[in-house]
Structure formats: structure tokens, C-alpha cells
Amino acid sequence: MRVFPFSPKSNAKLCPGDFWALPLQDGSYACGVVLQLPPAGTSGVKVSFLGGLLNWHSAEQPTLDKISNCKLIEQGVMHILAIQQSGKAILGNIPLEANGIEPLECINGNIIQKGYTPVRPWQREDNDVLPSFSYWGYDIITANAHKHFLGSLLIA
């Protein structure tokens, strides 16, 4: 049984649905969530994960009750340091499927994936509707939260 909060040093103790607070410059919070762990053989398999930004913003830190039924708005492959440098700790775990949270479809080369899972071959018209499978630096999730919720870029 896991005890929250905890500060992960690798992805070994992470589980899909783990969430953390993203402190924003105005004192409010957004919420990051672990969507999937990388498949075996993936580069950075011990320190990376597919994470996302939930459509949630509040003056208080996220809790399971507060983020229930929130939707995913962006996702990217992240390093464990993204959690350590933004929210510091995993605060809890939200059952993804029960809350309608699932990885987004994206373009990865010549295939369409849902998170890490291949779905079908890429087609030219996918470029108009799907984002690319992306890799995020440590502070990209916080920068994306600033863009979505504060309408501004993160200022260092």
C-alpha cells in the first residue's frame, strides 16, 4: 500500500492516475497526472512516464474529489524531475478510466498512438486534427498550465 504524499526518485513507484499540484505564479494551482508508464525497451524506461495536464485550476491544491471528472487537455513524455521540480510530491491517485481520463491520440512518425499504444497507420488528414507525440522538458507542463489558465507564459 502506498502512502501519500511521496516524492518519487524514479518511476518505479508511480502508477497511472498519480497526480500532483502545479503551483502557478499567481499562487493558484493546476494539476498534473501520470497517464502511462513506458513500455519495456523504451528510452528512459526507469525515469520517464506519459503525463498530462488536467483541465483543472484552483486557489487550493488538487485533491481526488476536486479533480474527479476533469478532462485531459495536453500530454507529453516527461522525466521524473518534472514532478520533483514542479509540485515536489505525488498527492494521490485518481482512477483514470472511472473518471473518463485516458491518453490522447497523437501522431508518432507513421502511426497513430493512444499514449504509447499503437492504434492505426498515419493518414495525411491526421495532421489537421491530431497533435504530435511529444517529449516535454522539466518545466513544460507548468508552462502549459500558465498558458491555459493564466493566459500568459511562465516567467523564470
Side-chain angles (χ1 to χ4, degrees):
M1 186 166 156
R2 298 182 311 151
V3 177
F4 300 103
F6 72 91
S7 184
K9 305 284 189 260
S10 74
N11 69 7
K13 293 184 180 179
L14 288 182
C15 293
D18 285 351
F19 65 89
W20 71 100
L22 298 165
L24 304 181
Q25 287 182 331
D26 70 348
S28 65
Y29 296 91
C31 184
V33 65
V34 175
L35 299 168
Q36 293 178 325
L37 297 176
T42 302
S43 178
V45 71
K46 293 183 179 185
V47 293
S48 66
F49 62 96
L50 182 66
L53 176 64
L54 293 180
N55 189 14
W56 180 88
H57 180 231
S58 177
E60 299 174 1
Q61 289 195 19
T63 65
L64 180 57
D65 289 341
K66 291 176 186 174
I67 64 171
S68 291
N69 298 310
C70 288
K71 300 298 177 211
L72 183 68
I73 53 178
E74 289 197 58
Q75 71 182 19
V77 176
M78 305 166 70
H79 191 280
I80 196 72
L81 288 176
I83 296 171
Q84 295 173 1
Q85 291 186 4
S86 61
K88 309 285 188 242
I90 297 294
L91 301 177
N93 184 279
I94 184 167
L96 296 177
E97 189 173 311
N99 284 278
I101 302 169
E102 59 184 358
L104 303 171
E105 283 192 350
C106 54
I107 301 168
N108 190 5
N110 63 355
I111 61 170
I112 302 303
Q113 295 180 185
K114 191 163 197 160
Y116 288 111
T117 308
V119 175
R120 62 178 172 79
W122 167 86
Q123 298 172 357
R124 186 172 303 278
E125 55 272 13
D126 291 326
N127 290 342
D128 298 328
V129 294
L130 296 175
S132 295
F133 188 72
S134 63
Y135 292 80
W136 291 356
Y138 306 144
D139 62 349
I140 296 300
I141 191 167
T142 302
N144 288 343
H146 277 88
K147 177 184 71 176
H148 281 285
F149 302 120
L150 302 181
S152 65
L153 297 176
L154 175 63
I155 300 170

